[in-house]
C-alpha cells in the first residue's frame, strides 16, 4: 500500500510547473491589456520574477528525482520518441523562452510587435509542456493512470493554481483585480475537480491485478480527497470573498489562498502517485 509521498520531488515539480504555466498566461494577458501603460507593464514584468523562481524550484525538484542528477541531460536523448524526453524538452523550452522574454523586457529592450508574438508563443509552449507532462503517465500497464482522469487532473491544476498565482503577483504589482472572470474560472475548475474525484472513486472498484485491487491502495481515498477539496475551497475563498464584497483582494489574502491551493494540489498529486499499480503480478506504489 502506498501513499505517493515518496514521490515528493515529482509532486513538487508537476504542481509548481503547472501553476507557473497558468500564472504566466494570466500575467501575460494582463501585460498585453496594459499596452497603454508602460509603467504598469514594467511592474508586471518585475513581478514575473517569482514565476521563474518557482519554475527553478520545480526543475530542481525534478533533478532530485533522478538516480544520478549529473546525468540529467541523458533524459533528452530520445526527443520525439520518449514521453519523458518530450516533457523535459518542452519544459526547458518554456522555461528558456519565458525567462529570456522576461530578461529582455526587464532590460526594456523588448520591441513591441515581436515581443507580443514571443509572449503568445511562450504561453502556447507552456500548455504544450503540461500536455507533454500528461503523456509521461499514459502507460497502458498502469491502469490507474492510463485513463481519462490523468490529463484533466493535470490541466485542472493549471486552472486552479495558475490564476491565483497570477492574480497574487499582479496584485503585488498594483494591477487592479476587480474582474471576477478569472476567479470564476477557478471556481468552475473546482466543481470539475470534485466531479472527477467522485467518478474516480467509483472507477477504482473495477481496477485490479492478480494480487491487488486499486481501491486497496488508498483505503482513505474519500477522506483525503475531502481534505483536498476543502483546502481548495478555502484557498479560492480568499480570492472570491473580497470580490463578492466588491473590494480588491489583499495581497496577503491571495498569498494565503495560493498556499492553500498548492497544498491541496500536492495532496491530490500524492493520491495520484499513491495509486500507482501495474497489471500482472507486480504491484508498485
Amino acid at each position: 500500500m502506498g501513499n505517493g509521498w515518496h514521490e515528493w520531488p515529482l509532486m513538487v515539480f508537476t504542481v509548481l510547473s503547472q501553476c507557473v504555466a497558468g500564472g504566466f498566461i494570466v500575467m501575460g494577458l494582463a501585460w498585453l491589456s496594459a499596452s497603454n501603460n508602460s509603467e504598469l507593464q514594467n511592474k508586471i514584468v518585475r513581478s514575473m520574477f517569482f514565476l521563474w523562481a518557482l519554475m527553478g524550484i520545480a526543475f530542481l525538484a525534478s533533478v532530485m528525482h533522478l538516480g544520478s542528477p549529473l546525468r540529467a541531460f541523458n533524459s533528452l536523448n530520445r526527443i520525439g520518441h520518449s514521453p519523458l524526453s518530450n516533457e523535459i524538452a518542452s519544459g526547458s523550452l518554456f522555461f528558456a523562452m519565458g525567462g529570456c522574454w522576461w530578461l529582455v523586457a526587464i532590460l526594456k529592450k523588448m520591441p513591441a510587435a515581436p515581443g507580443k508574438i514571443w509572449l503568445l508563443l511562450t504561453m502556447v509552449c507552456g500548455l504544450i509542456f503540461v500536455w507533454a507532462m500528461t503523456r509521461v503517465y499514459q502507460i497502458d500497464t498502469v491502469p490507474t493512470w492510463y485513463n481519462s482522469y490523468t490529463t484533466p487532473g493535470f490541466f485542472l491544476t493549471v486552472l486552479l493554481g495558475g490564476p491565483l498565482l497570477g492574480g497574487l503577483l499582479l496584485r503585488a504589482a498594483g494591477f487592479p483585480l476587480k474582474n471576477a472572470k478569472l476567479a470564476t474560472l477557478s471556481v468552475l475548475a473546482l466543481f470539475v475537480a470534485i466531479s472527477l474525484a467522485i467518478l474516480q472513486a467509483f472507477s477504482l472498484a473495477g481496477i485490479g491485478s492478480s494480487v491487488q485491487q486499486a481501491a486497496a491502495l488508498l483505503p482513505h481515498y474519500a477522506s483525503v480527497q475531502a481534505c483536498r477539496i476543502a483546502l481548495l475551497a478555502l484557498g479560492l475563498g480568499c480570492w472570491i470573498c473580497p470580490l463578492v464584497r466588491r473590494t480588491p483582494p489583499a495581497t496577503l489574502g491571495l498569498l494565503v489562498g495560493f498556499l492553500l491551493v498548492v497544498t491541496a494540489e500536492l495532496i491530490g498529486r500524492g493520491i495520484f502517485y499513491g495509486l500507482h499499480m501495474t497489471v500482472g503480478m507486480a504491484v508498485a506504489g
Side-chain angles (χ1 to χ4, degrees):
M1 185 185 304
N3 55 24
W5 291 101
H6 62 288
E7 297 287 7
W8 69 265
L10 289 179
M11 291 163 55
V12 172
F13 169 65
T14 56
V15 169
L16 287 187
S17 58
Q18 288 158 16
C19 288
V20 169
F24 180 76
I25 292 175
V26 169
M27 298 193 73
L29 293 175
W31 184 86
L32 290 172
S33 71
S35 57
N36 295 325
N37 189 336
S38 59
E39 182 180 354
L40 181 56
Q41 281 191 327
N42 291 334
K43 290 181 179 179
I44 293 173
V45 169
R46 287 196 294 269
S47 191
M48 280 183 176
F49 166 80
F50 295 99
L51 288 179
W52 308 120
L54 287 176
M55 196 68 183
I57 293 172
F59 266 99
L60 179 61
S62 71
V63 170
M64 294 178 66
H65 174 73
L66 299 175
S68 177
L70 295 177
R71 297 181 180 179
F73 286 104
N74 291 342
S75 61
L76 297 172
N77 287 344
R78 290 181 53 79
I79 294 176
H81 301 283
S82 166
L84 177 60
S85 295
N86 294 339
E87 175 196 38
I88 300 301
S90 59
S92 300
L93 181 61
F94 169 61
F95 199 178
M97 288 182 64
C100 289
W101 183 92
W102 174 81
L103 182 60
V104 175
I106 202 77
L107 295 175
K108 300 181 180 180
K109 302 293 185 181
M110 181 65 70
K116 292 179 181 178
I117 296 173
W118 188 350
L119 180 65
L120 292 172
L121 288 175
T122 305
M123 293 180 190
V124 173
C125 189
L127 294 177
I128 293 174
F129 170 41
V130 177
W131 172 256
M133 204 181 299
T134 69
R135 304 310 301 168
V136 173
Y137 301 98
Q138 293 295 338
I139 308 170
D140 56 5
T141 56
V142 184
T144 46
W145 291 353
Y146 191 67
N147 52 45
S148 57
Y149 300 106
T150 298
T151 298
F154 278 33
F155 276 98
L156 279 174
T157 302
V158 176
L159 295 175
L160 289 165
L164 194 48
L165 174 60
L168 165 63
L169 297 179
L170 287 173
R171 188 73 182 106
F175 190 90
L177 287 178
K178 298 179 181 179
N179 196 314
K181 290 182 180 179
L182 278 177
T184 302
L185 179 64
S186 291
V187 171
L188 292 176
L190 173 60
F191 285 117
V192 175
I194 294 172
S195 300
L196 289 181
I198 295 172
L199 291 173
Q200 186 178 37
F202 287 110
S203 71
L204 291 176
I207 300 175
S209 69
S210 58
V211 294
Q212 181 71 71
Q213 293 297 312
L217 292 171
L218 287 175
H220 304 296
Y221 175 90
S223 58
V224 176
Q225 280 285 18
C227 178
R228 173 194 170 221
I229 297 302
L231 288 174
L232 286 173
L234 288 173
L236 294 180
C238 294
W239 190 4
I240 295 295
C241 289
L243 293 176
V244 171
R245 298 195 301 268
R246 299 185 182 280
T247 59
T251 303
L252 180 58
L254 290 174
L255 175 59
V256 172
F258 176 65
L259 292 176
L260 288 171
V261 168
V262 168
T263 301
E265 287 306 273
L266 287 173
I267 291 174
R269 207 51 48 85
I271 294 173
F272 175 78
Y273 288 112
L275 287 174
H276 179 275
M277 64 175 290
T278 55
V279 296
M281 294 296 293
V283 177

